[in-house]
């Protein structure tokens, strides 16, 4: 099918984009970034926005920069930018590891990091990354700028704290100190499919014991999130099979799993057990 008719706006500056968004938001105006989620939804007529604010020519939104110990990712930065490490150290390596699990190459060359977060699919790898690393999300509108913590940003399945007239202008990820360990694992039915469950873990070592552990889960619940019960099992403990299995069990017990026609809650719990353990194994 073809999309319902719409008007496409192509602003060149951020101020212009925000002004247009403020005008068209009440008429179901939406931001168009990579189009890799929005365009298929429009083609199926599951969305019929009357206006699209295409940000692909907005100057200054394509930047990746390090400032104040954080990596800032602008709204036009594509998934493919992360195929090679964008910063030295563990964060660049982590992003380059995770990106390979997102969709297929052509989609990664168009879809954007910020678009993934705004779309908020519970199984999105970047949403999981943002939630696990406690990202800051910068929302701009004609009314002003506000910064939203990742834990407050995801409010439900494909639902976020963004207002209709707000553009997610950039996302800030804290750099990881040298020596920080990380591991990622996901289960999807075919390569390139959305994950049925995914886990990202990060920790540092002090005197051989884990500290500052972050255990994030995606695809398992309505929103990606850190799992404090699993983190508590790891902190102060030497990495190893026993600790990894105990943390995986803690995660299984902490979740309220999504259920759908293909995946029961019980099966998702089993997958969570596996992906948390495997992510931890990948960290050593
Ligand atoms: C076959 C297929 C497989 C895929 N597999 C995966 C996968 O495994 N993992 C995964 O994470 N993704 C997957 N995707 C989705 C892909 O990663 C998209 O690129 C991503 O979800 C949305 O990014 P986008 O830039 O294309 O956003 P768009 O499609 O342009 O927009 C998506 C939504 O976000 C809003 N939006 C976009 N940018 C902003 C912004 N800056 N501010 C405010 N609102 C904004 C739009 O208005 C729209 O509602 C897949 C897509 C396809 C087609």
């Amino acid at each position: 099918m073809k999309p319902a008719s719409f008007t496409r706006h192509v602003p060149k500056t951020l101020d212009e984009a925000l002004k247009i968004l403020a005008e068209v938001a009440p008429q179901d105006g939406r931001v168009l970034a990579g189009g890799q989620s929005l365009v298929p939804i429009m083609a199926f007529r599951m969305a019929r926005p009357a206006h699209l604010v295409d940000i692909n020519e907005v100057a200054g939104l394509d930047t990746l920069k390090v400032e104040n110990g954080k990596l800032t990712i602008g709204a036009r930065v594509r998934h493919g930018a992360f195929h090679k490490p964008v910063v030295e150290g563990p964060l660049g390596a982590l992003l380059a590891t995770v990106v390979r699990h997102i969709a297929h190459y052509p989609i990664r060359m168009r879809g954007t990091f910020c678009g993934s977060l705004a779309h908020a699919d519970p199984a999105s790898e970047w949403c999981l990354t943002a939630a696990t690393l406690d990202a800051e999300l910068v929302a701009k509108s004609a009314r002003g700028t506000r910064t939203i913590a990742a834990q407050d940003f995801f409010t439900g399945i494909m639902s976020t704290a963004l207002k209709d007239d707000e553009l997610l202008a950039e996302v800030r990820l804290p750099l990881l100190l040298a020596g920080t360990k990380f591991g990622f694992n996901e289960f999807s039915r075919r390569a390139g499919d959305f994950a049925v469950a995914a886990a990202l873990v990060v920790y540092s070592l002090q005197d051989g014991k884990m500290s500052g552990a972050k255990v994030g889960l995606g695809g398992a619940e309505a929103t990606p999130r850190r799992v404090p019960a699993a983190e508590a099992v790891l902190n102060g403990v030497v990495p190893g099979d026993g600790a990894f299995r105990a943390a995986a069990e803690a995660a299984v017990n902490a979740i309220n799993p999504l259920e759908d026609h293909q995946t029961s809650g019980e099966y998702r719990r089993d997958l969570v057990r596996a992906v948390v353990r495997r992510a931890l194994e990948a960290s050593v």
Side-chain angles (χ1 to χ4, degrees):
M1 281 171 72
K2 290 180 181 168
S5 68
F6 58 88
T7 304
R8 175 169 163 256
H9 306 264
V10 191
K12 306 287 185 211
T13 67
L14 182 56
D15 282 349
E16 198 190 338
L18 298 179
K19 186 167 172 283
I20 298 169
L21 193 56
E23 285 165 10
V24 302
Q27 307 155 52
D28 196 18
R30 297 215 201 164
V31 172
L32 174 70
Q36 298 304 297
S37 294
L38 183 55
V39 171
I41 291 169
M42 289 172 63
F44 284 121
R45 304 240 174 159
M46 291 159 70
R48 298 169 181 232
H51 296 267
L52 291 184
V53 183
D54 183 341
I55 59 169
N56 285 283
E57 293 182 24
V58 173
L61 292 183
D62 56 348
T63 44
L64 267 166
K65 60 185 177 206
V66 173
E67 241 172 23
N68 303 322
K70 289 174 183 153
L71 173 68
T72 299
I73 302 165
R76 282 176 49 201
V77 174
R78 319 261 172 210
H79 307 320
F82 300 93
H83 283 155
K84 291 183 183 163
V86 294
V87 274
E88 283 184 20
L91 180 62
L94 182 157
L95 296 170
T97 299
V98 171
V99 72
R100 294 199 305 269
H101 297 268
I102 301 174
H104 309 278
Y105 185 84
I107 293 165
R108 295 200 293 268
M109 298 315 282
R110 289 297 304 170
T112 63
F113 187 101
C114 290
S116 279
L117 269 54
H119 189 60
D121 190 297
S124 149
E125 288 84 356
W126 289 149
C127 294
L128 168 61
T129 304
T132 308
L133 299 184
D134 298 320
E136 294 170 356
L137 293 88
V138 180
K140 289 187 184 260
S141 70
R143 295 173 290 112
T145 300
R146 65 186 180 120
T147 303
I148 308 167
Q151 65 177 12
D152 301 322
F153 184 78
F154 303 107
T155 54
I157 297 175
M158 291 174 181
S159 149
T160 72
L162 279 179
K163 305 281 184 223
D164 289 347
D165 65 341
E166 282 182 322
L167 186 142
L168 181 56
E170 62 186 37
V171 176
R172 299 178 194 141
L173 296 176
L175 296 181
L176 300 173
L177 294 175
T180 302
K181 304 287 183 189
F182 70 86
F184 174 81
N185 189 266
E186 77 171 38
F187 176 83
S188 55
R189 289 196 170 81
R190 297 171 305 188
D193 279 5
F194 276 98
V196 188
L200 175 64
V201 299
V202 176
Y203 59 86
S204 37
L205 286 174
Q206 280 186 354
D207 301 325
K209 295 177 179 168
M210 292 177 276
S211 85
K214 294 180 175 181
V215 176
L217 273 181
E221 299 179 298
T223 58
R225 67 165 175 115
R226 285 176 59 186
V227 186
E231 295 169 354
V233 170
L234 298 173
N235 285 323
V237 176
V238 175
D241 187 58
F244 295 168
R245 286 178 187 275
E249 209 54 43
V252 169
N253 292 329
I255 60 165
N256 179 18
L258 285 173
E259 295 194 68
D260 55 52
H261 64 287
Q262 283 187 311
T263 314
S264 67
E266 205 48 40
Y267 179 46
R268 255 206 180 81
R269 282 188 199 278
D270 279 350
L271 289 178
V272 164
R273 183 179 290 110
V275 294
V276 171
R277 181 175 50 78
R278 288 175 188 167
L280 284 162
E281 285 169 356
S283 71
V284 291

